[in-house]
Structure formats: structure tokens, C-alpha cells
Amino acid sequence: MLTIQEVSRRTGFTEPTLRYYERVGLFGPVPRDESSGHRCYDPRLVGTIESLACLRTSGMSIEDMRRYLRLLPRGREAAAEQQALFAGHAARVAGEIARLEVRLRYLRAKADLWAARDRGDVDAEMRAMDVVTDAAGELR
């Protein structure tokens, strides 16, 4: 059995996050030590929480984590639903990456613009300004 501090260190979740996830039902009530009243996490529950930590780190929402956990006991019977869940999340992450790439292109072009301006290179400044303008249009 592990304490909340040990589970926190092992999973990267803060203690308040672990309490919150318990409260919102991502996992059932955690048994308490009879003498101290402190939460006692068994190895199976710790494994579940470690899985949740991976899902959360991937950016998965609490609702999708709930859905994942609801489908898990159904195993292969729920494989298509699990696949759809993860494919949907992957598509959302791909969209976020695409938006971040536009931001990065914009920021690099702004840096190039200012570097060109600093050097007095008008042609490079104009090329950078074209990229900045294009990227700025995509940011909207």
C-alpha cells in the first residue's frame, strides 16, 4: 500500500489532483488506514493512476479519461470504441500541433525580420515580412 505522497511522486500528480480525481469519480473512494485515516493506495489502483497520468500528459480530457476507464473492463468488445476515442484525441493533438507550427513560423519570421533590420538587410527584411504576414493571416 502506498500513501498519497508516494503516489504523487510516482505519478507526477499533485496530492490535490489525486484528491480531485477521486472526488470526480475517475477512481472509486480510496481506502483509508484505520489508525491514521490517511489514504492507502493498493498496487492495482496505482497502476490505474499511472495510466491516467499518461493520458493526462497526452492532453486527454477528464471526460475522455472517464470514458476510457468505463470501456476498459469490456476489453476486446470495446476495442472499436477505444480506437475511436484515441483516434479522436490524436486528431485533436494533430490540430494543436498544426496551430503551434504556424505560431512557430510567425515567431521565427519576426525574429528574422528584426535580425535583418538590425543588419540593415532590406531584402531579407521584406522576405521575412512576407512570411510574417502569411503566418499572421493563418493565426486568425
Side-chain angles (χ1 to χ4, degrees), residues 45-111:
L45 179 54
V46 172
T48 298
I49 295 169
E50 287 173 332
S51 293
L52 292 174
C54 291
L55 296 175
R56 191 66 186 144
T57 300
S58 79
M60 187 173 276
S61 68
I62 290 174
E63 189 52 44
D64 281 351
M65 289 191 297
R66 254 194 211 110
R67 183 170 175 222
Y68 167 76
L69 291 172
R70 279 194 311 269
L71 294 171
L72 207 53
R74 292 179 41 214
R76 188 173 181 167
E77 175 188 315
E81 292 170 85
Q82 292 281 31
Q83 187 278 330
L85 173 69
F86 284 95
H89 184 58
R92 285 188 296 279
V93 169
E96 291 172 20
I97 290 169
R99 288 186 295 280
L100 287 171
E101 286 173 343
V102 171
R103 287 180 178 173
L104 180 59
R105 191 176 57 204
Y106 172 82
L107 293 169
R108 284 182 173 160
K110 288 291 274 189

Side-chain angles (χ1 to χ4, degrees), residues 14-66:
T14 64
E15 293 175 35
T17 297
L18 289 167
R19 289 185 200 99
Y20 174 73
Y21 283 0
E22 179 183 355
R23 190 170 57 252
V24 299
L26 276 175
F27 44 87
V30 177
R32 305 269 184 153
D33 179 273
E34 289 183 24
S35 63
S36 69
H38 295 163
R39 289 170 173 82
C40 296
Y41 296 81
D42 66 49
R44 191 176 68 62
L45 179 54
V46 172
T48 298
I49 295 169
E50 287 173 332
S51 293
L52 292 174
C54 291
L55 296 175
R56 191 66 186 144
T57 300
S58 79
M60 187 173 276
S61 68
I62 290 174
E63 189 52 44
D64 281 351
M65 289 191 297
R66 254 194 211 110

Side-chain angles (χ1 to χ4, degrees), residues 1-9 18 38-41:
M1 301 296 268
L2 298 176
T3 66
I4 195 168
Q5 295 89 4
E6 291 166 326
V7 174
S8 176
R9 279 193 301 272
L18 289 167
H38 295 163
R39 289 170 173 82
C40 296
Y41 296 81

